[in-house]
Amino acid sequence: MLARFDEPIAAIATAPGRGAVGIVRVSGRNVQPVIDAVCGRALRPREATYLPFRAADGSPIDHGLALHFPAPHSYTGEDVLELQAHGGPVVLQLLLARCLEAGAALGLRVAQPGEFTQRAFLNDKIDLAQAEAIADLIDASTEAAARSASRSLSGDFSREVERLREALVHLRMLVEATLDFPEEDIDFLQQADAQGQLERLQQTLGQLQQRARQGALLREGIKVVIAGQPNAGKSSLLNALAGAELAIVTPIAGTTRDTVQQTIQIEGVPLHVIDTAGLRDATDEVERIGIERAWSEIRQADAVLFLHDLSRREDPLYQAADAAIADQLQRHLGPDVPVLQVWNKTDCIPSANHAGASEDVWLSARTGQGLEALRKRLLQLAGWQAVPEGLFIARERHVRALQEVQAHLTQSAACLQARQPALDLLAEELRQAQQALNTITGEFSADDLLGVIFSSFCIGK
């Protein structure tokens, strides 16, 4: 995103569509000409004023509230004007057009996606992790994700990263000082307990990684694909997990021709569950395409529920088809993708015939028996470990950055523990660890990374 940050910007800051109230936001080094033209009077800082919003000929476009936030005490750190009008899309478009007209001499233009928040970041109002938390709070699909995003927005995650960074900088300082005074070298580092400091760093990092993984799970969730032969009960299982009749269920094999997806939440963790066409050799062209799509979803899954029909368990043909699917799953899936064996239709056979592996799940999608056990196993597959309080939202890029820090600290430990410690290599590994850590809060971030992050925001934010 190649934005010009010396130009003032304007945008509708509320969601598209009709509503009781809509907001038009303007931000720049000086928005006074827009205030004078649209509001027709001076505004007291940070005080809502009810007045008519004027068109170029002086006629009112609408009546509403105007607020002026002088720099630097605003969301973006610049002068900000917010006009709260009635939430009709035509009214808001007229109001935005009037602002652009009034600010034409200033170079006022329509904001790009995320540009208001990007300016807040560039003007040191928030760091990059907090900026991302704003988008995550807006997009939160569960209450737990919203609360965690709010903690990240308030700076909880950033403070954890900063504490780790300060400890890392202190250790770097010791090593760099030793390089400047080589006659002191190892004795100096031993007296300063460099080894102990590094071990404590790794321990703190491990705790932060664990919480970041949980935070990323709250934000991203996992993709769970239900796979199996026709009429195993895949659609019934999706409906049971979702608590709604989302997929068509009939006794006719091949009823499901396309994928059906629903996001459910278990203990606040979003799981994107996908029902797929029954896997078999199909001659019908439509069903064949559905099966191809099923395998496409399976290859992209974070976890697979391999659903079996208990009522056909003793049928040799059914067993052979299940074995063929299991072999294909092994070829299509990576080694880190778990496959959970789920046996459906326990209501159709005696409980004495429910023998199988201890990690398998036995249930009836029709009666709901065993669904709670499946939910618990899904959380285990996701890697969820509930943290009582203080969990912050995180993104996959944060997790990868912390993994990079871990790799550099591991190399640092190897350098320090060598028979002849390579202090120059140790210093370099610590420097790279700090650089990886800095990418989380944006103290070191490439412009293209910023472009990707902020382009995912909505316009007006």
Side-chain angles (χ1 to χ4, degrees):
M1 183 167 63
L2 300 176
R4 301 176 300 281
F5 296 109
D6 58 335
E7 298 174 343
I9 55 174
I12 298 171
T14 42
R18 298 172 65 247
V21 177
I23 297 174
V24 172
R25 176 181 289 162
V26 182
S27 178
R29 293 179 181 175
N30 176 24
V31 300
Q32 192 60 46
V34 181
I35 294 174
D36 295 339
V38 178
C39 301
R41 55 169 290 184
L43 300 176
R44 294 173 63 88
R46 293 173 296 282
E47 183 177 296
T49 303
Y50 179 75
L51 44 71
F53 303 132
R54 301 289 184 183
D57 61 3
S59 62
I61 297 172
D62 193 9
H63 289 70
L65 297 177
L67 295 99
H68 178 212
F69 302 91
H73 305 296
S74 69
Y75 178 71
T76 62
E78 303 172 329
D79 275 0
V80 170
L81 171 66
E82 285 196 357
L83 304 175
Q84 300 182 9
H86 293 96
V90 174
V91 172
L92 295 177
Q93 287 293 343
L94 287 172
L95 195 53
L96 175 60
R98 175 58 180 141
C99 289
L100 293 171
E101 178 187 36
L106 303 173
L108 182 65
R109 60 175 173 81
V110 176
Q112 297 180 11
E115 193 170 356
F116 288 96
T117 303
Q118 187 168 5
R119 290 190 178 199
F121 164 68
L122 294 173
N123 291 325
D124 295 323
K125 303 296 290 186
I126 53 176
D127 63 33
L128 192 56
Q130 289 174 297
E132 291 170 303
I134 293 170
D136 294 337
L137 184 59
I138 293 170
D139 295 335
S141 59
T142 68
E143 180 181 344
R147 291 182 182 277
S148 299
S150 182
R151 293 190 189 99
S152 288
L153 177 56
S154 67
D156 285 10
F157 184 30
S158 301
R159 283 188 287 271
E160 295 272 358
V161 171
E162 178 59 23
R163 279 193 287 268
L164 185 62
R165 192 187 74 85
E166 288 177 355
L168 183 53
V169 167
H170 185 264
L171 182 56
R172 276 194 67 192
M173 178 188 68
L174 291 176
V175 176
E176 297 286 353
T178 304
L179 286 172
D180 290 338
F181 302 97
E183 63 276 5
E184 301 291 338
D185 54 32
I186 303 306
D187 290 338
F188 179 74
L189 289 178
Q190 288 178 344
Q191 292 170 8
D193 190 26
Q195 181 68 44
Q197 289 190 45
L198 182 55
E199 290 174 356
R200 287 190 291 275
L201 260 174
Q202 290 176 302
Q203 182 179 11
T204 303
L205 174 63
Q207 295 169 351
L208 184 59
Q209 282 182 291
Q210 195 271 338
R211 296 178 69 190
R213 282 192 293 267
Q214 300 302 293
L217 187 59
L218 272 183
R219 178 184 183 272
E220 307 287 350
I222 66 168
K223 181 177 180 178
V224 179
V225 175
I226 307 174
Q229 294 189 55
N231 273 0
K234 298 182 296 300
S235 297
S236 297
L237 179 56
L238 173 66
N239 292 342
L241 287 171
E245 296 297 318
L246 301 173
I248 299 173
V249 177
T250 75
I252 303 171
T255 296
T256 301
R257 299 296 185 95
D258 204 350
T259 58
V260 180
Q261 177 172 329
Q262 177 67 16
T263 297
I264 64 172
Q265 58 169 301
I266 305 175
E267 294 186 19
V269 179
L271 283 86
H272 314 293
V273 185
I274 300 174
D275 175 28
T276 59
L279 303 177
R280 65 176 178 179
D281 292 328
T283 56
D284 179 86
E285 180 64 15
V286 176
E287 185 181 0
R288 186 185 61 78
I289 293 173
I291 293 171
E292 288 178 357
R293 292 185 178 182
W295 282 113
S296 176
E297 294 290 353
I298 288 169
R299 284 190 290 270
Q300 301 174 56
D302 296 310
V304 173
L305 303 185
F306 187 2
L307 196 63
H308 307 278
D309 183 351
L310 272 172
S311 66
R312 292 182 281 169
R313 186 181 186 185
E314 304 302 325
D315 183 345
L317 292 177
Y318 184 80
Q319 292 176 0
D322 257 9
I325 294 173
D327 183 61
Q328 286 182 285
L329 286 174
Q330 191 172 15
R331 294 200 307 269
H332 282 277
L333 295 175
D336 298 329
V337 180
V339 177
L340 179 61
Q341 309 293 329
V342 181
W343 297 87
N344 187 29
K345 304 183 184 180
T346 55
D347 55 309
C348 295
I349 66 169
S351 58
N353 294 335
H354 294 184
S358 58
E359 63 271 17
D360 292 0
V361 174
W362 306 79
L363 57 80
S364 169
R366 186 174 68 84
T367 67
Q369 179 187 4
L371 280 180
E372 188 58 34
L374 176 60
R375 292 188 180 99
K376 291 180 179 178
R377 289 288 285 123
L378 285 172
L379 284 181
Q380 292 174 359
L381 290 179
W384 175 249
Q385 297 173 0
V387 179
E389 290 294 337
L391 186 62
F392 43 74
I393 206 77
R395 295 189 171 198
E396 186 60 32
R397 80 167 191 92
H398 303 150
V399 175
R400 290 197 302 269
L402 292 175
Q403 289 172 342
E404 188 176 346
V405 175
Q406 180 187 39
H408 288 303
L409 290 186
T410 300
Q411 286 298 109
S412 299
C415 292
L416 190 58
Q417 294 167 3
R419 179 172 298 180
Q420 294 294 328
L423 298 186
D424 54 344
L425 295 179
L426 172 59
E428 177 60 17
E429 290 293 343
L430 293 175
R431 185 191 68 81
Q432 292 192 39
Q434 182 185 344
Q435 185 169 296
L437 196 61
N438 286 345
T439 62
I440 294 176
T441 54
E443 292 183 51
F444 174 82
S445 294
D447 289 343
D448 56 348
L449 172 64
L450 298 182
V452 169
I453 289 173
F454 288 106
S455 65
S456 65
F457 281 57
C458 54
I459 293 177
K461 200 64 182 174

